Amino acid sequence: MASTPSAPATVPSRGSFSEATRIGAILRKETVGGMLLVGAAIIALVWANSPVADSYFALRDFRVGYAPWHLELSLGAWASDGLLAIFFFLVGLELKREIVAGDLRDFRKAVIPVAAAVGGVVVPALIYAAVNWGNEKTIQGWAIPTATDIAFAVAVLAIVGSRLPSALRIFLLTLAVVDDLIAIVIIAVFYTGEINVLALGLTLVPLTLYTVLAQRYRRFFGMKPAAAWLILLPLGLATWALLHASGIHATIAGVLLGFAIPVIRSAASGGPSAGPGLAEIFEHRFRPISAGFAVPVFAFFSAGVAIGGIDGFTSALADPVSIGIIVALVAGKPVGILVTTWAVAKFTRARLDPSLRWVDLLGMGLLAGIGFTVSLLVAELSFGAGGPENDHAKVAVLTASVLAAMLAAVVLRARNRVYKRIEVAERADADNDGTPDVYQTGR
């Protein structure tokens, strides 16, 4: 008997009801963090351009730590190398959760957002490289416009009051998670200098012990928060310190530690339906620390740049570094995401979700142009903490993020009534059978 052909996939995929609910909860938590991040950046900018600007830079450059262990760092470096490792720890947890129990485990659902993320990295990098071609110093910043700041993007959504349907929420978060993974690989491969082999080898000792304990006693650490703080945290700190001493950027330690945490409840449970695993429990515990403290403090120490009035601002924007970053983030991101999504959809014969239009994906692409956190980090790795290129790159990242946010707000605000009707339909269907369907909602 001939098999019935399956219905063509939709772009973007709606995912399962549980996945849509989980991602919606994550995005709601990121809203507050995004607003704190923006607030911290504004305070830093105002302070760095005030009559008492010297006190801001003195605070940022104040050094503290133990020099023999290569840990005598400025407060700004502690924020970028230390606190940001908490953010990347959550990235590792979320990425592993998506691969093991989320929509990334299904190739048909994952291929389009993954391809869109790749396109959203490659096109901005090529645009920046084209603008700065021939300049050996500024070309080093090619990776600055490749990142997406999900917290800042969600803060924009909260401000414009957008009621994103589940399909777009899943698309946005999946794209951002894959985008962060690519950024991690770029930092590890292209922004690592001389390697201390001994320190790198010693890193494996606490990391291995941490992994074995987390895997073997997952239920114990899930039920006893104090045990995780007293046993796993010291091992995590040792892993971070040794990786920092090895010459690899210490935020990579956060990713490795996140990947070491088990996702499912137990090895015998057989799959993602077993209930919340240690990764999900840790995500609930650490996300408030990351969104409410670590990332805003990093933004405070990284976003402060002395602009020098209107003349200084226009001079910074005229730098090829700034031109490349702004064009790459504001135009390159949406173009890379849209073109790649369209091409993969054509190749896979997927069709656009009947309740959406391509302008909705344009809104997602513009939101992805908000670089901020990781872009500021990559700018420091590219040009060092001081120097005009780093300052101009910061000005460009901030300017591009604001422009991308404004353009995304215009597009999404215009579609907000449609999103409200989709949300009502999804809730009604969830009440009926617990799973959202594809709706022929009015456009």
Side-chain angles (χ1 to χ4, degrees), residues 335-356:
V335 168
I337 290 169
L338 276 175
V339 170
T340 308
T341 302
W342 177 84
V344 175
K346 278 287 187 182
F347 179 76
T348 60
R349 298 184 179 180
R351 60 187 177 87
L352 186 67
D353 187 298
S355 63
L356 303 173

Side-chain angles (χ1 to χ4, degrees), residues 70-219:
H70 306 284
L71 292 177
E72 186 182 6
L73 308 173
S74 67
L75 292 180
W78 274 112
S80 62
D81 291 6
L83 291 180
L84 214 56
I86 302 174
F87 166 78
F88 278 103
F89 174 74
L90 282 170
V91 171
L93 288 178
E94 182 60 34
L95 185 61
K96 186 174 180 181
R97 173 67 176 77
E98 287 294 318
I99 293 173
V100 174
D103 282 346
L104 285 182
R105 64 193 168 100
D106 187 337
F107 176 79
R108 293 171 300 176
K109 293 180 180 179
V111 62
I112 289 180
V114 169
V118 173
V121 168
V122 172
V123 173
L126 291 176
I127 289 175
Y128 180 92
V131 173
N132 289 272
W133 193 258
N135 189 322
E136 292 185 3
K137 188 170 186 179
T138 61
I139 197 70
Q140 296 175 14
W142 62 270
I144 296 173
T146 60
T148 295
D149 193 306
I150 186 64
F152 196 159
V154 172
V156 173
L157 291 178
I159 293 170
V160 302
S162 179
R163 301 170 178 265
L164 282 184
S166 62
L168 287 178
R169 291 201 305 267
I170 292 172
F171 182 83
L172 175 62
L173 186 62
T174 305
L175 186 147
V177 168
V178 177
D179 193 291
D180 285 336
L181 173 63
I182 298 173
I184 291 163
V185 174
I186 289 174
I187 291 172
V189 174
F190 296 99
Y191 292 98
T192 296
E194 184 177 349
I195 299 294
N196 184 324
V197 178
L198 176 60
L200 183 60
L202 290 175
T203 302
L204 297 176
V205 177
L207 178 60
T208 301
L209 184 56
Y210 172 97
T211 304
V212 171
L213 291 174
Q215 293 287 337
R216 186 166 183 176
Y217 301 103
R218 61 186 75 184
R219 290 179 61 85

Side-chain angles (χ1 to χ4, degrees), residues 9-15 112 162-172 338 341 351-364 411-412 415-423 426 437-443:
T10 56
V11 180
S13 169
R14 287 182 178 268
I112 289 180
S162 179
R163 301 170 178 265
L164 282 184
S166 62
L168 287 178
R169 291 201 305 267
I170 292 172
F171 182 83
L172 175 62
L338 276 175
T341 302
R351 60 187 177 87
L352 186 67
D353 187 298
S355 63
L356 303 173
R357 288 183 174 177
W358 283 101
V359 68
D360 298 303
L361 292 185
L362 173 62
M364 294 300 97
V411 172
L412 296 175
R415 296 283 291 164
N416 213 35
R417 290 183 180 179
V418 178
Y419 298 151
K420 185 176 182 179
R421 291 197 292 269
I422 297 173
E423 182 184 47
E426 287 181 343
D437 295 329
V438 177
Y439 296 101
Q440 297 287 350
T441 308
R443 302 184 187 182

